[in-house]
Amino acid sequence: MEWTREQRYRKIEEVSEQELHNLKKIVQQCPWRQTFHIQPETGLLNDPNGFSFYNGEYHLFYQWFPLGPVHGLKYWYHTKSKDLTNWENVGIGIRPDQFFDSHGAYSGSGIEHDEQLYLFYTGNTRNLDWERLPYQCMAWMDRHGEINKANEPIIDHVPEGYTDHFRDPKVWKDNDAFYMIIGAQRENLTGTVVVYRSNDLNHWTFLGEIDTQLENFGYMWECPDYFELENNGVLIFSPQGLEPSGDAFRNIYQSGYIVGNPIALPSLNYQHSEFHELDHGFDFYAPQSMEDPSGRRLMIGWMGLPEIDYPTDQHGWAHCLTIPRELSVKNNKIIQKPVKEMENHRKAKQEVHGIIDNDIKSYADFNGTTYELICEFHDIFASEVGVAIRCGENEETIIKYDVVSKKIVFDRSRSGQPFAEKYGSIRQCDFSADIVKFHLFVDRSSVEVFINDGERVMTGRIFPDQDSNGVQFFAKNGKSRLEAVKWEY
Ligand code: FRU
């Protein structure tokens, strides 16, 4: 179905209860609804927004177009959780109902100040000629969950030298000052990030660009995030317009990071490493991080990409968020682990082990559609070792270590309903280790794989048949010892 502009910019407030009810019913019948991932009740979810801890709970908002699986008029939808595993749907957090956000409450962040949770977002507007005019806006939530907006944008124009692609404010505090990083496009159509400074969150002064060594690196950097971790300054952003290069940059858009010394404030000088992708799978974009009260740096991403049709579109909804990951830095690289709280989901446990010798093995009742699985391959004397999940008559999703090419491979070419094939059905990344550990989180229509305790991560949506629930382990041209444990979710 082609969506007209009118349909895309229809407000949920103008839609009858009956129509919403019907939409929900269609969505609920979808066989690919997730069970432990944050997903929209109807319509399209994209970036995580305002990820924070406030008043004893984690708060997480997301970009939402309620009325269908397309990028239409965006709202912030609000969810919260005490334990990062059970998320409560709170309702709409920010509505696009003012002159400064009339065409969408776009992405942004949250920070606690003076006992309120301050929310910063981009008000997307269009004039009669459909030209984009972005405003940076502020709202705040009180202890009762009531959200109010400032009457005026806090930044009402794009500074000279940049185009109208100027959005996604992320705010942090350093000593007594607040800093805001914004994703931007220079007038020469290259991407960058700029920084503002404030003492009170209301008045912001433009400082300039972060002085990276990535002068010509894509045409726009979306959703920037900056934080310091173990004395490193980490800049995460989602660049658009990178060309594929070997195994890298195979998705339509990328998201990754550079690591260096903490950015010098306010001069914005920054010496840093090369750019690394955060996730080597298929569906990962626009992540956002926060520091929780125990000092952990946590990150959640959008498990989807812009401008791609997904099989759930037919069922009136699209996309979900990833599970939360805890970040650390090792040798200038980010290590990502599933948060420990995921263990709250664990139900029935099963374990298998043994030697696989040039064979494909499955084990009685060792299967499922929603589970956590840790499998380790030791004493590898084979050309490849791995696991196939969601196996059915004609379906399987393969995660393997290719010992010869020294790569981890994620193959979804036979995963079920095909999609995004234009971008290829295999992702791989360099890897080398004597023992290989795959830590999988499998939901009805996705898999997230953490490799050797977070040295690499690969995430992908898959759309298998409900009956495809087999799990198979294999070693090719030789043998390996397998240790596997699985928990139903
Ligand atoms: C990234 C993005 C952001 C923007 C939002 C709109 O996916 O394009 O730059 O704020 O989505 O929904």
Side-chain angles (χ1 to χ4, degrees), residues 1-4 6-12 15 19-20 22-24 26-27 33 40-46 62-75 308-310 312-319:
M1 171 179 148
E2 273 301 312
W3 284 67
T4 61
E6 220 163 73
Q7 289 168 322
R8 282 175 189 263
Y9 284 86
R10 208 166 147 222
K11 293 192 160 141
I12 190 172
V15 173
E19 188 177 339
L20 280 176
N22 294 345
L23 273 175
K24 272 187 205 165
I26 295 168
V27 173
R33 289 297 279 170
E41 281 195 324
T42 60
L44 179 140
L45 161 159
N46 57 302
Y62 58 75
Q63 286 287 285
W64 188 43
F65 176 60
L67 303 179
V70 293
H71 289 270
L73 183 62
K74 296 287 171 71
Y75 293 67
I308 289 186
D309 297 330
Y310 283 72
T312 58
D313 294 358
Q314 311 298 328
H315 303 264
W317 70 287
H319 309 308

Side-chain angles (χ1 to χ4, degrees), residues 9 11 13 63-64 72-76 92-107 119-127 132-139 147-156:
Y9 284 86
K11 293 192 160 141
E13 293 83 356
Q63 286 287 285
W64 188 43
L73 183 62
K74 296 287 171 71
Y75 293 67
W76 276 36
I92 292 172
I94 300 180
R95 294 171 196 270
D97 58 4
Q98 300 293 319
F99 76 90
F100 49 76
D101 57 18
S102 57
H103 291 67
Y106 275 13
S107 284
L119 304 170
F120 294 88
Y121 67 100
T122 299
N124 185 51
T125 72
R126 299 273 193 177
N127 65 16
R132 197 192 283 276
L133 292 167
Y135 295 101
Q136 312 312 319
C137 311
M138 183 172 81
I147 298 177
N148 282 292
K149 282 183 192 176
N151 293 329
E152 302 279 333
I154 45 155
I155 298 175
D156 65 1

Side-chain angles (χ1 to χ4, degrees), residues 279-313:
D279 194 290
H280 299 276
F282 299 91
D283 304 284
F284 185 86
Y285 197 64
Q288 188 171 88
S289 79
M290 58 88 79
E291 187 184 323
D292 89 344
S294 67
R296 294 183 298 177
R297 177 57 57 173
L298 307 177
M299 182 185 78
I300 289 183
W302 168 23
M303 208 197 294
L305 288 168
E307 293 160 48
I308 289 186
D309 297 330
Y310 283 72
T312 58
D313 294 358

Side-chain angles (χ1 to χ4, degrees), residues 38-320:
I38 293 173
Q39 64 190 344
E41 281 195 324
T42 60
L44 179 140
L45 161 159
N46 57 302
D47 316 349
N49 293 156
F51 189 22
S52 49
F53 189 90
Y54 169 68
N55 201 19
E57 291 174 302
Y58 292 93
H59 292 270
L60 178 58
F61 301 79
Y62 58 75
Q63 286 287 285
W64 188 43
F65 176 60
L67 303 179
V70 293
H71 289 270
L73 183 62
K74 296 287 171 71
Y75 293 67
W76 276 36
Y77 191 87
H78 184 194
T79 65
K80 62 179 188 172
S81 173
K82 289 198 164 61
D83 62 4
L84 293 169
T85 40
N86 298 293
W87 292 93
E88 182 189 325
N89 278 341
V90 180
I92 292 172
I94 300 180
R95 294 171 196 270
D97 58 4
Q98 300 293 319
F99 76 90
F100 49 76
D101 57 18
S102 57
H103 291 67
Y106 275 13
S107 284
S109 57
I111 188 170
E112 184 175 350
H113 177 61
D114 279 349
E115 297 186 12
Q116 317 264 11
L117 182 66
Y118 280 81
L119 304 170
F120 294 88
Y121 67 100
T122 299
N124 185 51
T125 72
R126 299 273 193 177
N127 65 16
L128 289 176
D129 297 324
W130 207 247
E131 289 162 340
R132 197 192 283 276
L133 292 167
Y135 295 101
Q136 312 312 319
C137 311
M138 183 172 81
W140 55 89
M141 185 174 86
D142 67 18
R143 290 185 177 272
H144 310 288
E146 196 177 289
I147 298 177
N148 282 292
K149 282 183 192 176
N151 293 329
E152 302 279 333
I154 45 155
I155 298 175
D156 65 1
H157 68 282
V158 173
E160 214 174 299
Y162 303 94
T163 74
D164 52 9
H165 287 288
F166 195 82
R167 56 180 173 264
D168 310 336
K170 170 89 198 235
V171 174
W172 76 95
K173 196 173 181 187
D174 188 273
N175 291 315
D176 284 337
F178 295 98
Y179 292 87
M180 175 189 289
I181 191 171
I182 295 179
Q185 179 178 60
R186 298 188 190 102
E187 270 172 353
N188 71 3
L189 306 188
T190 56
T192 187
V193 288
V194 302
V195 178
Y196 286 75
R197 183 180 201 269
S198 171
N199 293 321
D200 60 5
L201 292 178
N202 280 287
H203 304 89
W204 293 88
T205 312
F206 180 68
L207 294 185
E209 281 181 28
I210 292 189
D211 189 8
T212 71
Q213 284 97 63
L214 299 172
E215 268 304 304
N216 189 356
F217 195 69
Y219 59 79
M220 169 64 187
W221 295 3
E222 295 192 304
C223 298
D225 191 354
Y226 176 75
F227 54 88
E228 288 169 13
L229 189 55
E230 298 152 27
N231 289 321
N232 300 284
V234 181
L235 177 64
I236 290 181
F237 58 100
S238 294
Q240 300 181 303
L242 303 183
E243 289 299 322
S245 152
D247 294 331
F249 311 158
R250 293 270 147 199
N251 297 328
I252 183 169
Y253 302 131
Q254 274 55 57
S255 81
Y257 64 94
I258 51 185
V259 177
N261 297 328
I263 291 176
L265 294 170
S267 79
L268 303 181
N269 182 274
Y270 186 38
Q271 300 298 318
H272 59 82
S273 69
E274 61 179 311
F275 178 84
H276 297 288
E277 281 177 272
L278 277 161
D279 194 290
H280 299 276
F282 299 91
D283 304 284
F284 185 86
Y285 197 64
Q288 188 171 88
S289 79
M290 58 88 79
E291 187 184 323
D292 89 344
S294 67
R296 294 183 298 177
R297 177 57 57 173
L298 307 177
M299 182 185 78
I300 289 183
W302 168 23
M303 208 197 294
L305 288 168
E307 293 160 48
I308 289 186
D309 297 330
Y310 283 72
T312 58
D313 294 358
Q314 311 298 328
H315 303 264
W317 70 287
H319 309 308
C320 61

